Amino acid sequence: MTEQSTYIPDGTPIEVILEGGPDDLPRAHRTGRSSLATRKLKIQHRNGYEHFELVDGDLVPAVFRWIMRTKIAE
């Protein structure tokens, strides 16, 4: 996971699961541990970024749903 976060004040890493997004997003990015400071994660993939937002509910595990893709500016 690439995004830094403040949802968990002490910065303790928690389990994160990503839902949606491109089919070829590496499996290693679909689950993992991250310390959450924001409700959003941005993961670099191919020539852009995949954006995910935290789904309301329990943070164990924290589920993030894909919301959009942006291209890297040249």
Side-chain angles (χ1 to χ4, degrees):
M1 306 284 119
T2 58
E3 179 83 4
Q4 304 297 319
S5 306
T6 65
Y7 252 95
I8 303 206
D10 65 2
T12 303
I14 63 168
E15 288 297 317
V16 171
I17 296 175
L18 303 180
E19 290 184 344
D23 290 335
D24 65 338
L25 186 67
R27 189 172 161 192
H29 291 305
R30 296 262 175 212
T31 61
R33 294 184 69 76
S34 182
S35 54
L36 301 178
T38 67
R39 294 184 57 86
K40 296 184 179 181
L41 293 175
K42 180 172 83 171
I43 297 176
Q44 187 172 350
H45 179 61
R46 291 183 298 195
N47 61 344
Y49 293 100
E50 305 301 332
H51 298 262
F52 294 82
E53 188 167 31
L54 182 64
V55 175
D56 290 331
D58 288 336
L59 288 179
V60 183
V63 177
F64 285 79
R65 190 165 293 138
W66 184 84
I67 55 172
M68 70 177 166
R69 173 175 177 72
T70 55
K71 291 195 174 194
I72 295 174
E74 294 185 28

